[in-house]
């Protein structure tokens, strides 16, 4: 590789890395507890726990649960109901002042499907884990914060690519994984920086790309609403505002009959972000480990409970849904979470060593310049 090309790639690698380093450190530090959020919530006692009851205890229907949620939070409306694999008898209720309110203003709690009893979930409404999540997702800056992090993610990917280009000729001079112990601290850290960078290469690239996609989730969802969702509710454009809606009791039966073999993931109530002003949207998921992350929305008229359509899921929505669990290592249970945690710590070392190498190099260059000036005087 020509020296001019090396200098160009070195410039790209140095500055793309430095610009995104602070943000990447924040993302790595906050991402580490998020990988183990289930375990941390249980350790902190923030995970909701339902009462022990006989296995054959009947469950309330959805409309009864809606009433229970509204009684628990008077003056608010139900935006979503969501099901969690960890608690078979619980359903999460998401409530706000309005159906389409800011997601950050939503209050989340669990309802016992057998009794309608509300169980608070502190980690979903504040506390340590919510602080970590907000810092990781948008740094408390909303959409501008998400887009800034998306840009930093792109710089991180560029730093990875440029690092690979620079490391290729370096490998021709030394064997793989060589760390020269008899050299200076700078050289040893350079060798470790390159070694750890190569080891974490694929993981960092995948996490970087999925992070960019997740940071653009608001834009992806908005495109889905304006494209797929808008197409199937076009006939409701001039319909009068919904003043009274049919009870939610039969929603799951209707959705399961429409998409046989699927299970409910969550229900979006009329007026919420994932539905229309005139529909319930029941999002159904597959029964395999992969298809459980892909959702099929069944749109049900909120007046007469007739199925309006099964909303198509474009490739960009599928990509977003698949990228979210991959980003946090949710595909392979605890072994994969541990692997994700180790790789996260190694990435922090790569970022820190990169800053150290840049500082040392700048100091060395300044020392040489001073010496040259003194000789010329």
């Amino acid at each position: 590789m020509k020296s001019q090309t090396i200098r160009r790639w070195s410039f790209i690698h140095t500055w793309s890395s430095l610009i995104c380093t602070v943000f990447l450190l924040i993302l790595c530090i906050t991402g580490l507890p998020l990988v183990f959020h289930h375990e941390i919530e249980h350790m902190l006692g923030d995970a909701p726990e339902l009462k022990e009851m006989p296995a054959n205890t009947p469950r309330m229907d959805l409309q009864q649960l809606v009433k229970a949620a509204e009684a628990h939070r008077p003056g608010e409306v139900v935006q979503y109901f969501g099901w969690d694999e960890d608690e078979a008898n619980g359903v999460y209720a998401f409530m706000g002042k309005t159906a389409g309110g800011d997601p950050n203003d939503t209050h989340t709690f669990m309802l016992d499907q057998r009794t309608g009893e509300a169980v608070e979930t502190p980690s979903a409404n504040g506390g340590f884990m919510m602080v970590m999540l907000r810092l990781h997702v948008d740094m408390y800056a909303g959409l501008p914060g998400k887009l800034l992090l998306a840009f930093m993610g792109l710089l991180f990917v560029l730093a990875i690519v440029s690092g690979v280009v620079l490391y290729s000729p370096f490998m021709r001079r030394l064997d793989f994984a060589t760390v020269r112990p008899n050299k200076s601290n700078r050289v040893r850290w350079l060798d470790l920086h390159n070694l750890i960078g190569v080891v974490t290469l694929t993981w960092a690239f995948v996490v970087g790309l999925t992070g960019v996609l997740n940071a653009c989730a608001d834009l992806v969802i908005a495109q889905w609403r304006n494209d797929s969702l808008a197409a199937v509710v076009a006939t409701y454009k001039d319909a009068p505002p919904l003043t009274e809606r049919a009870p939610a009791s039969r929603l799951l039966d209707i959705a399961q009959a429409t998409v046989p073999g699927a299970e409910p993931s969550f229900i979006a109530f009329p007026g919420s972000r994932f539905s229309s002003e005139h529909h319930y949207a029941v999002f159904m998921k597959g029964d395999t480990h992969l298809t459980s992350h892909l959702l099929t929305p069944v749109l049900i008229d909120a007046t007469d409970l007739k199925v309006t359509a099964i909303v198509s899921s474009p490739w960009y929505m599928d990509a977003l849904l698949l990228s979210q669990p991959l980003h946090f290592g949710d595909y392979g249970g605890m072994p994969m979470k541990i692997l994700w945690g180790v790789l996260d710590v190694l990435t922090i070392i790569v970022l820190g060593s990169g800053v150290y190498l840049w500082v040392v190099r700048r100091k060395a260059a300044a020392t040489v310049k001073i010496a040259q000036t003194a000789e010329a005087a």
Side-chain angles (χ1 to χ4, degrees), residues 36 50 74 76 78 110 151 154 178 194 200 252 347 355 370:
F36 301 98
L50 304 184
E76 297 186 354
V78 179
M110 179 174 280
F151 178 64
L154 289 174
T178 297
N194 291 335
T200 60
L252 294 185
T347 301
V355 173
I370 292 172

Side-chain angles (χ1 to χ4, degrees), residues 176-244:
F176 176 75
T178 297
V179 177
R180 292 164 284 183
N182 298 323
K183 297 291 185 176
S184 65
N185 282 337
R186 177 185 173 278
V187 172
R188 287 199 300 273
W189 272 110
L190 175 62
D191 290 343
L192 285 171
H193 178 81
N194 291 335
L195 170 60
I196 299 174
V198 169
V199 170
T200 60
L201 173 66
T202 301
W203 177 84
F205 191 77
V206 169
V207 170
L209 284 180
T210 55
V212 171
L213 185 54
N214 286 325
C216 296
D218 286 352
L219 301 181
V220 173
I221 294 169
Q223 179 62 31
W224 174 78
R225 284 184 57 86
N226 295 331
D227 184 10
S228 301
L229 183 61
V232 298
V233 299
T235 56
Y236 290 80
K237 182 178 180 181
D238 298 322
L242 188 67
T243 55
E244 186 175 350

